[in-house]
Amino acid sequence: MFSHRFRVRYSECDQQGVVFNGHYLFYYDQALLELFRSFGYSWDELPDCDIVVAESTLKYRASTTFDELLDVCMPVSHVGNTSLIIEPRFEVDGQLRVEGTVRHVFIDPATFKPTPIPAVLREPLEGASQG
């Protein structure tokens, strides 16, 4: 399973000294970019498509604090015709801190209408699928 590691910066922590909840989606977004990069594509090289978030949920299980190494694990749980579901897990030393579900839809950037996942991405996404 693909994962990407971050070191929590002081500026990402709130007054209680823990990562502010909104930063987890920023971490996720960067991990998604790195997942696609692992397939050989940078974000601006996606073939004739774009990808948007249609839905996201996060469940906070434990706090993450300044200077900890946070691993964002990116299991792909569903690869549909136009959609993709990833169930990220945010862990420190293998301990679950946050988990969630993010559903994406591939779109035609000219019309903003759903479009099939390009074949060049479907194969690596299916290979990364846990389901």
Side-chain angles (χ1 to χ4, degrees), residues 47-119:
D48 300 322
C49 70
D50 199 355
I51 183 173
V52 296
V53 172
E55 180 180 6
S56 66
T57 59
L58 294 177
K59 296 176 185 172
Y60 302 91
R61 303 297 187 191
S63 297
T64 306
T65 59
F66 167 66
D67 213 32
E68 287 188 302
L69 293 175
L70 180 68
D71 294 310
V72 182
C73 306
M74 301 287 285
V76 175
S77 65
H78 173 77
V79 180
N81 183 44
T82 62
S83 65
L84 166 69
I85 298 174
I86 298 176
E87 296 181 347
R89 294 177 54 86
F90 301 80
E91 301 176 351
V92 174
D93 292 330
Q95 296 179 342
L96 180 64
R97 302 298 173 91
V98 175
E99 62 185 332
T101 301
V102 182
R103 182 171 58 90
H104 297 274
V105 176
F106 284 79
I107 62 165
D108 178 320
T111 65
F112 294 96
K113 294 190 186 277
T115 189
I117 298 172

Side-chain angles (χ1 to χ4, degrees), residues 5-81:
R5 178 169 279 182
F6 296 88
R7 182 174 297 278
V8 175
R9 297 176 293 188
Y10 180 78
S11 63
E12 296 163 342
C13 297
D14 60 20
Q15 290 180 334
Q16 290 80 32
V18 300
V19 172
F20 176 69
N21 66 76
H23 285 293
Y24 288 98
L25 289 175
F26 286 115
Y27 296 146
Y28 171 84
D29 197 48
Q30 186 63 43
L32 183 67
L33 293 174
E34 296 302 331
L35 174 66
F36 279 91
R37 186 171 283 127
S38 77
F39 298 156
Y41 294 96
S42 66
W43 199 249
D44 58 347
E45 296 174 331
L46 291 179
D48 300 322
C49 70
D50 199 355
I51 183 173
V52 296
V53 172
E55 180 180 6
S56 66
T57 59
L58 294 177
K59 296 176 185 172
Y60 302 91
R61 303 297 187 191
S63 297
T64 306
T65 59
F66 167 66
D67 213 32
E68 287 188 302
L69 293 175
L70 180 68
D71 294 310
V72 182
C73 306
M74 301 287 285
V76 175
S77 65
H78 173 77
V79 180
N81 183 44

